[in-house]
Amino acid sequence: MLVDVPRLVTAYYANEPDVLVPEQRIAFGTSGHRGSAFENTFNQWHVLAISQAVCDYRKRQGIVGPLFLGIDTHALSVPACASALEVLAANGVEVMLAEHDEYTPTPAVSHAILTYNRGRTAGFADGVIVTPSHNPPGDGGYKYNLPNGGPADAAATGWIEARANTFLKNALRGVQRISCQKALRSGFIHRYDFLNAYVSDLGNVLDMDAIRGAGIRMGVDPLGGAGIHYWAAIAERYGLDLTVVNDEVDPTFRFMPVDWDGRIRMDPSSSYAMSRLVDLKDRFDIAFACDTDHDRHGIVTPGEGLLPTNHYLAVAIHYLFQHRPQWSKHAAVGKTVVSSQIIDRVAAKLGRALYEVPVGFKWYVDGLFDGSLGFCGEESAGATFLRRDGAAWTTDKDGIVPALLSAEIIARMGRDPGDIYQELARELGECLSDRVEASATPGQKRMLSGLTPQCVLSKYLAGERILRILSHAPGNGAAIGGVKVIAENGWFAARPSGTENIYKIYVESFRGEQHLCRIAEEAQEIVDAAIAAGEPDATAMASRRRRG
């Protein structure tokens, strides 16, 4: 089961993608290009081509400031970083690399971009994060962030993707490159203290004095990820009672419990991946974990164990909009179409507008940047929110800040997030959520992303009349890459994953477990019918279920 790291790195350097095979071309999903060297979907050619495309995009857009470059702890991140540096330096790009080659969380890169650009009218910085997020150990990834600090939008990624694939098609002709050794001596590579810049600013987004004063006992599992050294620095700087329960970094991630499908994933929203931290829950007032690039969070309480992501998002929203008096009274709540409707009910209770968008944090960037969105979250445990004064903190997902917020909530409210959620559920309704996941070929994924309201022939969902069928998000009108079917007390959404060869069906009920199961069964029938319509000879895909 463990990845053979020497073979993986060899494949990264030795293999070349076949551009005639669609799966081996460069494709930016919800957050960058991801793949595996073993499958010729992420190797040196991909990184060289994307890096040159990024350089060309910067010139086209007049971006002449430094590029902040971060990496996570996946085995392919170090060689991919070296490949990127060869191209960036050859193109004369000033690169800001972490001191001592430290791993760098995604939010630290976003924070660095925003910090550098604040108050500037020209010479803006941007960034690259080499990470496949929580994906299995054999994967690699490459994400580009714009000068607004957030993931590149569809226009930018579309241009970069097309340009990079042209380089692949032309056997990398046009890619400027020098050796990594020359790049490091070129004068274009500079060192930046991501860790202390980020850690020293945390008091401006969280009430660290309250956490310290309440003596909250915290436990954290970095899951072997990029924030491995950040937690001790946070504890020391703010005098917190915070214990790192696992400080191991190993590119095989052999210390991780396997996920629902028997694969290793560093997913803090998964009850499988989080089982070891849950076993330690009674040692702490609150415990939490982040994924490999630390842009996702998981919260564990003594009473509830691992909180479902949607439950914690609802609690965080309920708390923040009542304890951030400097935020604009018009600041809205951002959620994705596959996040729980309990968030809708909390927003309505607070009198806050709801901004509902497709999956992908790129849809939130502008609102976070200008302060019109106070909190933004997604069902897969990604979130961020504004500074205490209402200015932007990060415009990309931040796992560290929502994790520490759970301790602030206890310090200020005297109750943990699990207890607060139960109170909200008694008032607003108890929601049960689940997520069905199954393998899907790239062709099947394309078919599922093209689902339309017309594909849903039924007028009822689990006995209730269907009220709405969405193929576009209410907040911004963008296509959701699938459909969402909504009844009075439940809904489902079906869409392909943007990062793995699987599809996902999200289901939710406010009428209990039996109703939830019925929604899931009917949703599965609709998806199977769509697949069969597109591939008449295809057999139904066996699905696996896990609590979301």
Side-chain angles (χ1 to χ4, degrees):
M1 182 182 297
L2 298 179
V3 65
D4 185 330
V5 173
R7 285 188 62 242
L8 181 70
V9 174
T10 299
Y12 171 84
Y13 285 109
N15 294 351
E16 298 178 3
D18 183 348
V19 294
L20 298 179
V21 179
E23 294 75 27
Q24 295 184 27
R25 298 174 196 153
I26 291 161
F28 278 75
T30 52
S31 190
H33 172 75
R34 298 176 184 174
S36 173
F38 287 142
E39 299 172 1
N40 267 1
T41 51
F42 186 90
N43 57 33
Q44 183 175 223
W45 276 46
H46 293 101
V47 175
L48 295 173
I50 297 172
S51 297
Q52 184 62 54
V54 165
C55 292
D56 293 348
Y57 179 82
R58 296 179 97 242
K59 292 176 184 176
R60 191 168 185 259
Q61 297 296 318
I63 301 171
V64 297
L67 182 146
F68 290 88
L69 175 60
I71 67 170
D72 76 358
T73 55
H74 276 79
L76 291 179
S77 293
V78 170
C81 179
S83 300
L85 289 176
E86 293 175 358
V87 175
L88 294 170
N91 282 269
V93 175
E94 303 284 346
V95 178
M96 308 299 281
L97 198 62
E99 289 186 345
H100 314 297
D101 295 319
E102 179 67 75
Y103 302 114
T104 308
T106 286
V109 173
S110 179
H111 178 271
I113 295 169
L114 291 175
T115 300
Y116 183 89
N117 289 340
R118 190 171 292 120
R120 293 180 181 271
T121 57
F124 296 116
D126 53 2
V128 164
I129 306 106
V130 182
T131 174
S133 189
H134 63 290
N135 279 25
D139 285 9
Y142 191 116
K143 184 171 73 170
Y144 176 58
N145 280 32
L146 294 170
N148 58 23
D153 58 23
T157 57
W159 193 93
I160 291 169
E161 178 183 306
R163 183 77 165 173
N165 280 317
T166 298
F167 289 129
L168 291 186
K169 182 179 179 181
N170 294 328
L172 298 182
R173 285 194 300 274
V175 173
Q176 300 179 55
R177 181 186 180 193
I178 59 177
S179 72
C180 187
Q181 188 176 22
K182 287 183 178 179
L184 292 171
R185 296 199 309 257
S186 66
F188 292 115
I189 312 301
H190 313 282
R191 296 294 174 171
Y192 180 78
D193 190 354
F194 285 97
L195 188 154
N196 282 306
Y198 178 90
V199 170
S200 64
D201 205 13
L202 280 171
N204 291 312
V205 68
L206 294 160
D207 190 345
M208 305 300 279
D209 292 336
I211 299 173
R212 179 179 60 254
I216 308 298
R217 293 174 297 124
M218 295 168 280
V220 59
D221 189 344
L223 302 181
I228 190 74
H229 296 142
Y230 279 59
W231 294 104
I234 291 169
E236 180 180 0
R237 180 173 184 87
Y238 295 100
L240 305 182
D241 184 355
L242 188 153
T243 302
V244 178
V245 302
N246 174 26
D247 61 0
E248 187 173 0
V249 175
D250 181 339
T252 68
F253 294 88
R254 65 182 66 241
F255 49 82
M256 287 294 302
V258 296
D259 207 356
W260 60 277
D261 58 354
R263 301 189 71 188
I264 296 173
R265 288 187 188 85
M266 289 58 69
D267 180 358
S269 70
S270 165
S271 59
Y272 299 86
M274 291 284 280
S275 61
R276 290 184 179 173
L277 189 59
V278 171
D279 290 341
L280 301 175
K281 64 184 176 64
D282 294 330
R283 288 176 48 188
F284 306 104
D285 297 317
I286 195 78
F288 33 78
C290 292
D291 69 334
T292 325
D293 68 322
H294 270 49
D295 70 348
R296 303 181 191 221
H297 63 273
I299 309 298
V300 175
T301 71
E304 299 286 331
L306 177 64
L307 285 183
T309 299
N310 285 311
H311 295 190
Y312 182 63
L313 294 180
V315 171
I317 292 164
H318 184 257
Y319 171 81
L320 283 166
F321 282 93
Q322 297 181 88
H323 291 84
R324 293 296 188 267
Q326 291 180 271
W327 286 10
S328 167
K329 293 181 179 178
H330 304 291
V333 176
K335 63 163 280 194
T336 59
V337 292
V338 298
S339 299
S340 173
Q341 284 190 350
I342 192 67
I343 294 173
D344 306 45
R345 298 183 183 192
V346 169
K349 170 183 166 66
L350 296 170
R352 295 284 178 162
L354 191 72
Y355 184 65
E356 190 171 358
V357 298
V359 173
F361 226 74
K362 61 189 176 185
W363 305 110
Y364 295 137
V365 175
D366 290 342
L368 286 165
F369 189 78
D370 65 18
S372 61
L373 292 175
F375 178 97
C376 297
E378 57 186 17
E379 178 272 348
S380 57
T384 195
F385 48 91
L386 299 177
R387 293 170 178 265
R388 295 163 73 181
D389 66 1
W393 165 250
T394 60
T395 48
D396 208 333
K397 297 189 290 286
D398 186 336
I400 297 172
V401 162
L404 289 169
L405 178 69
S406 64
E408 181 188 327
I409 291 172
I410 298 174
R412 296 285 297 274
M413 301 295 290
R415 293 177 295 160
D416 74 38
D419 292 336
I420 296 172
Y421 173 76
Q422 292 303 325
E423 182 179 301
L424 287 173
R426 286 191 292 271
E427 178 185 355
L428 303 176
E430 174 67 48
C431 70
L432 292 177
S433 303
D434 204 355
R435 190 166 77 201
V436 179
E437 298 183 347
S439 299
T441 66
Q444 290 167 338
K445 287 174 61 178
R446 287 191 291 271
M447 195 183 317
L448 290 169
S449 68
L451 286 177
T452 66
Q454 289 70 37
C455 297
V456 182
L457 303 179
S458 175
K459 301 295 183 183
Y460 293 87
L461 178 64
E464 294 186 326
R465 180 171 290 278
I466 292 173
L467 302 178
R468 288 186 297 165
I469 303 176
L470 305 178
S471 58
H472 292 74
N476 60 0
I480 65 177
V483 293
K484 182 176 182 179
V485 179
I486 305 167
E488 182 178 356
N489 291 295
W491 59 270
F492 81 85
R495 58 176 293 274
S497 169
T499 60
E500 296 183 83
N501 284 328
I502 60 175
Y503 74 81
K504 303 178 182 182
I505 300 175
Y506 306 82
V507 294
E508 181 168 87
S509 169
F510 282 85
R511 291 180 54 189
E513 184 72 31
Q514 186 174 357
H515 187 242
L516 180 77
C517 292
R518 188 172 173 187
I519 292 174
E521 290 168 1
E522 294 184 12
Q524 187 76 66
E525 291 171 1
I526 291 170
V527 171
D528 286 346
I531 292 171
E535 298 184 5
D537 298 328
T539 57
M541 291 182 284
S543 65
R544 306 283 291 274
R545 300 187 63 195
R546 69 177 179 85
R547 179 63 58 192

